[in-house]
Amino acid sequence: MDKITPIRFLKLLGIYAKIDLAWLIRDTKYAIAAITADMISNMSAVSAVFLIAIRFDGIGGMSSDEVLFMMAYSTLVTGLFIIFGNNNNIHVSRIIGRGQLEHMFIQPLPLHVQLMASGFGPFTGCGNFLVGMGLLVVSIQRLSIQVTPSWVLTLFLYLLATMTIIVARSYLVSTMAFYSPVAAEEISSVAIEGTWMLSTFPLSGMPRAIQLSLITILPEGLMAWFPAMALLGRPPLLGAYYPLIFAMLLAAVAAFAFKKGMKYYVTKGSNRYLPYGFRR
Amino acid sequence: MYRYYYTAKLSAIEKTNGGTIYLLPDILIKAFTLIPLVYLWRVVMSSGVEVGMTMSQMISYTYVSSLLSEMLVVKTAATGWLSEGTLLKLYGRPLSVLGQLSALTVGRWMPMLLLFSLPMTLLAPVFGISLIPSSVWFFPSLLLCISLGFAVDCFFACLSIKLRNMTWLIDRIRMAIIALFSGTVIPIRLLPFGLDQIMRFQPFAALGGSPLSIFVGTADVRSTILLQLAWNIVLWPLALLAFKKSQEGMVSYGG
């Protein structure tokens, strides 16, 4: 097993970046079509909410520019998700459900390192991130936000917390695929894509019970609304540090459940492949 | 007709093969999305901006849109039939391919209609939502919407044949376009910058947004149904022609 140092990890990311660049160069037409599809898909979701905000001159006490800022944050999250999740490494129930985890066992690298590095696609995956950065700059100018180093650090921490929540929740529900690979193969898609629309809702002005349930049971409020409000200087409900604490707790629970599922998996194996190679 | 009925039944049963428990995440997410969406519209509409719709109309619109979501934006198995090898099954049976696609799609609607739409319909009075259509023309409009949905789906299926392995891309772009242009997420009349006037005559507007507008009583029934009829008359022959020409170009290595 290779020793993993920060330099070694960066080199691994470099390998995947090279593979991604090779795709872009060798199959440019398809790669550009994929980038465009990602951008159109995200812009459709965020523009719907933004158009409502313009038509109604804001939503629940948030001005249309504040909604734009929230949509910028949401687009940045989508961008990061695509940059780091290009290879089903975040939709991990597909890897587990399809019996592909074994492919990773034979690599001379720890499983978690492979999963962290294998989805890196900075060239074909950067479209939404760049759009998000553009929207962020426009909304910051329109809202006259004072951008200080501490504000940028806070933005970085919230993005990290949001990404942690997305990954942790996906891994948590994906543990079902260890026990029932066929039925739960797409469970991570339900957890990620199924709730994406909900994450673009500005929750300001909604009843407290709805807000609370959407930052605890189904944490869609932590995907864009809560961090955006906190970055605008009005952290809602449980205080500015809440997303960071929630992310850490969820990650701990997901790690525990995933390890338990792995134990079951290495004992029982996967029933997805027939001896002559076809998938059931 | 029995053969199509059994195809639909098979499709409905197939969706629950892993046990209905595995449909639970989908059902919960749909419910958890619908309830905040209803409250979001309550917040938005309480701003007092005049948009030609009352709050109760808007909430009924959103609620019905969620209950009938799969019918309002039809998506058949043809979306992924090249990559998943579904077409081998379809061409191996002594039935019309488009007929089978329709039966399979209708069958796939059933589990969600029974497990999500029916309970949520019963719960509607608890949320104070009226589910009585303001005109009986809602039902013909819904049928025309479904019919047009199959025609639009047929075009996208032909596009996936033409572009070979771009199924995923086509699906992403298609869902994005339909979500915005069909009026199922935001009623077209609520769009700002005069977009409502431009978008009301395009074919996607004759999908989900049309029956929903008739349901809540914000559309002119006659012109809406006529527009839906017109798009059906224009698009169906074109869809069939495109499908006939595309069949020879099918390449599948999925399964």
Side-chain angles (χ1 to χ4, degrees), chain A residues 196-212:
Chain A
W196 211 263
M197 185 188 167
L198 197 50
S199 71
T200 60
F201 291 0
L203 305 184
S204 301
M206 285 199 195
R208 208 177 163 82
I210 299 272
Q211 289 181 338
L212 270 173

Side-chain angles (χ1 to χ4, degrees), chain A residues 43-59 64 67-68 71, chain B residues 41 44 180-181 186-188 190-196 199:
Chain A
M43 290 314 289
S44 162
V46 299
S47 61
V49 177
F50 185 56
L51 288 172
I52 297 171
I54 289 180
R55 185 73 167 89
F56 289 88
D57 201 18
I59 298 175
S64 52
V67 173
L68 179 66
M71 294 303 111
Chain B
W41 282 117
V44 167
L180 206 56
F181 291 0
I186 312 174
I188 287 171
L190 295 194
L191 293 173
F193 311 128
L195 285 171
D196 55 328
M199 283 175 53

